[in-house]
Amino acid sequence: MITRSTLLRFDFRSSPRKRGPRVTRALSRFWMPAFAGMSGEVFTRSTLLRLSAASAAALCLTASALAQNTIKIGELNSYKSQPAFLDPYKKGWEMAIEEINGKGGVLGKKLEVVSRDDGANPGDAVRVANELVTREGVALLAGTFLSNIGLAVTEFAGKEKVFFLAAEPLTDKITWQNGNRYTFRLRPNTYMQVAMLMPDALAAKKKRWALVYPNFEYGQSAAGWFKEMIKKAQPDVEFVTEQAPPLGKLDAGAVVQAIDDAKPDAVFNVLFGPDLAKFVREGTTRGTFKNRVVVSLLSGEPEYLDPLKDEAPVGWIVTGYPWDAIDTPAHKAFLAAYQKRWNDYPRLGSVVGYDTMKSLAAGIAKAGSTDTEKLIAAFRGLKLENPFGAFEYRASDQQATMGAYVGKIALKNGKGTMSDFKYVDGPSVLPSADEVKKLRPSEAMN
């Protein structure tokens, strides 16, 4: 026998964490009318069936009501395989979400991020993206780090007509050759970052270049643009060797030996993470970089400088993030807030994660909705302020004009940093709208 008192004790006193007060109140609104007019303590089978139906209806309606109070953002990234960049990135977006929700959210609703690891695999990433949309019911997608993952999710977004903000993947194909109207990108792409380094590469006036890059989309894209840009400005340039090891599988000894055998005047490097550390240590031990100009993408980012400590390759010309030396009000405010929240200093990933969620909040607010078509219209030409200054998402190619810092690696207090740096604004290194039309699919321009 099940009594009324037993049922009440079970339903209203157990598992409070799972239901919470709003769910309990909602259930009571459905159950109490079912109790009305009943005499005695014992419930019949028909009574229990009525109560079960009422409970199911209450739970469904309550879940719906709770969902209506939040805007769900689906976020996916290679957290397990790329923690150096993505742990700070996550802290950045978490801080942004706390700030946004602390001020009332967007359109009167709190932002809720449903985050998943993409397994650093394109197939897994597409599966995760689909689950976020179909099972979790997210309004839009954001994230990805590796360029091949970003391209896979870009294709998914185009096919499924889902809004996607690619936060970190750098290949220019995401917004150009493989671009679609549903995909926007935050960080400066490979074309932009190579263009930022090109004035220093040309000023070095070196003829014989060695190229080192990871053999996947990001590395191939960066190396391709470097060869095209420098050859155009310096026709007599020679590429005496190209070393393209698989990502995460660098044989540093073999690569450094190949460079020494080729006898270049200068080196263009695109390696990052543990591969970069191995390359730097092996090359420094053998004297490979001595009396040679080295131009390197991303190597001034603290994510990759910090592990090298006093082994940081002094004098390399790099793109990066001199977090401890940027003297602007916007960055000082971000730095103070980040240090207060995390008791740590920011990495570039922190800025990217922060800007990702701030961009989404601004876009949703401008659109007045999470409707995909309204979001696309809102993001085209969307203007924002970030820790580096003002930027916007161009309507022509949906690429953000966020810039980057260019300078030289130096040692300070026994660890790597950047010196002689300057901020290169994104618009100064982006092709014109007319040039973009030649790069981007016509249907992506609609």
Side-chain angles (χ1 to χ4, degrees), residues 139-283:
L140 50 89
L141 295 171
T144 72
F145 176 83
L146 299 171
S147 288
N148 54 335
I149 306 297
L151 282 173
V153 179
T154 294
E155 183 180 3
F156 170 84
K159 287 182 178 179
E160 301 300 325
K161 299 181 179 180
V162 177
F163 184 94
F164 172 45
L165 177 56
E168 162 61 22
L170 299 181
T171 176
D172 51 89
K173 290 181 180 178
I174 286 176
T175 47
W176 292 349
Q177 295 93 326
N178 292 29
N180 59 60
R181 63 193 310 273
Y182 301 95
T183 301
F184 291 73
R185 192 241 304 281
L186 174 62
R187 268 200 83 180
N189 61 27
T190 47
Y191 175 97
M192 296 167 70
Q193 298 217 30
V194 171
M196 291 174 184
L197 291 167
M198 194 51 54
D200 290 293
L202 292 171
K205 298 181 179 179
K206 301 300 181 182
K207 183 177 179 179
R208 295 169 57 83
W209 284 84
L211 277 64
V212 187
Y213 54 92
N215 194 18
F216 78 112
E217 177 58 36
Y218 154 71
Q220 295 162 5
S221 177
W225 283 121
F226 180 82
K227 289 190 289 185
E228 182 174 328
M229 290 182 192
I230 199 167
K231 190 77 173 177
K232 182 177 180 180
Q234 187 182 325
D236 65 341
V237 71
E238 298 176 16
F239 306 110
V240 295
T241 186
E242 289 190 37
Q243 298 296 308
L247 178 64
K249 298 179 180 180
L250 174 74
D251 183 342
V255 169
V256 167
Q257 186 61 56
I259 292 173
D260 284 336
D261 290 345
K263 297 178 172 57
D265 303 321
V267 178
F268 176 67
N269 169 67
V270 195
L271 299 175
F272 64 96
D275 286 345
L276 174 65
K278 293 176 184 177
F279 179 58
V280 168
R281 288 171 177 143
E282 187 70 22

Side-chain angles (χ1 to χ4, degrees), residues 16 23 30 54 72 102 106 117 132 137 143 198 220 231 235 245 296-297 373 389 391 395 426 432:
V23 175
F30 277 79
K72 295 177 75 171
V106 183
D117 196 286
L132 286 169
M198 194 51 54
Q220 295 162 5
K231 190 77 173 177
S296 188
L297 251 67
E373 291 302 321
F391 73 98
S432 68

